[in-house]
Amino acid sequence: MILVTLTIVVYTIALLLIFMYALAQLNLLFNYLASKKKLDTSEKFDFSNPDEIPYVTIQLPVYNEMYVMDRLLDNIAKIDYPKGKLEIQVLDDSTDETVKSTFEHIEKLKKTGLDIVQITRVDRTGFKAGALKEGLKIAKGEFIAIFDSDFLPQEDWLKRTIPYFKDEHIGVVQTRWGHINRNYSILTKIQAFALDAHFTLEQVGRNSKGHFINFNGTAGVWRKACIIDAGNWEGDTLTEDLDLSYRAQLKNWKFKYLENVETPAELPIIISAARSQQFRWNKGGAENFEKMVGRILKSDAISTKTKIHGILHLLNSTMFLNVLIVGVLSIPMLYIKNEYAHLKPYFYVMSFFVISTIIFFVCYWIMYKTIYGGGIKNFIKYIGMFFTFFSIAMGFSLHNSIAVLEGHFGKKSDFIRTPKFNISSLKESWKSNQYIKKGISANIIFEGLLMLYFAFGMYSAFIVGNQGGDFGLFPFHLMLFLGFGYVFFNSLTSKV
């Protein structure tokens, strides 16, 4: 009976935490919808007046980017901004032949009058944070724009972002990510789906009410004075962007999010690359929760509501752990439900938490409709995408939960870059990419076992009880089975 009680308690806590997160998402939806009724009255620099145009440094942190380096440099060279007030730093930590090819490309660009320099380091201390900090020491710009190697900003990007810094309290202007290969595969579609929710619902929902948001590591601009005042870049977490964002906002710097400025980028096209990126983001989120939660709670400068949203924001990645717990315990709970008749009222109450799924469904539909438009046809497509996304997201829950636990318990690991491909068609081969991580980890084997476990969960629906089975959890177990199956088989073959 002790084991049964413990199972029920842990299962209930995990469900409650998921429900709290769903309520926070619903609040962000209301904020998002309310923000659409407001006019942007921000004061802006007058770019028709040369004296008001500030000096900008563009930083490009790169590491072994053979397949996208030329594309990146050629695109950045097209940025429309007065050359006398623009500097480009290529923060090159590469250890392969791209160091030389990048240098040669930069020399060609210099001949066009562009102020561009390649900065290399002896070692990768601090990884990306260390490179950004190193470049900042000699940056000429009052404002620092940052782009990862797979981002392709439009020519007028600086002219659409820098003007907002007229407000001296703004420390960061962040733009929305676009996806140049959104429709490449199921994997890219679900990644785009998740990121779109973040860059519409979450970023706007928080920013519009003055809650903390995060600089997303790229496609944004920092005020140099803000970086210094907040304590500069630190490499003690895997998400240095989230870390500095919270330190800056705790210092009362304001962030400006521009949903209407899209910065296209490349999504990981194979599952090993997506796994690497997911691991870093989720572990970094947990690391930042441990680092920041005390500072948030102790701050007298922010409201209780901002504190709640901030803590839930930092716990985003921990939701994967709650989903995994609920999934794994749902099968024994199925048997407990049919074995202990006196617990039926509890299960009626717990079924209320299906409302969490309904909340997510509604929130993400608003996001989807904003991007693709409404109508019956798009709604039917959305239903398919929603359940595909949730199934595969649950399939990543073991992998991401391990990342989260490592983050909370302080296990350190290197910053593993996400390999880029510069491929837009399934007809093109990515298999020759020399940065692809090879090998099968123990995690993948356990994902295969979980696939079988949830197949057993579906089978259990037919055999429990005395009245022809219990199919209440069957759809949930089916989604888990499909999700873990997708992740397992694609990880074995490194497919898209």
Side-chain angles (χ1 to χ4, degrees), residues 298-336:
K298 292 174 185 176
S299 176
D300 296 324
I302 55 178
S303 68
T304 299
K305 196 168 184 179
T306 295
K307 288 180 180 182
I308 292 170
H309 271 290
I311 290 169
L312 289 173
H313 182 196
L314 294 174
L315 283 173
N316 269 359
S317 59
T318 306
M319 287 302 111
F320 281 104
L321 181 59
N322 292 316
V323 168
L324 181 64
I325 289 170
V326 169
V328 169
L329 294 184
S330 64
I331 296 177
M333 288 296 288
L334 182 63
Y335 285 89
I336 290 170

Side-chain angles (χ1 to χ4, degrees), residues 183-186 188 269 423-430 496:
N183 295 316
Y184 178 83
S185 66
I186 291 175
T188 57
I269 64 169
I423 287 176
S424 58
S425 168
L426 280 168
K427 295 177 182 178
E428 301 174 68
S429 176
W430 45 263
V496 297

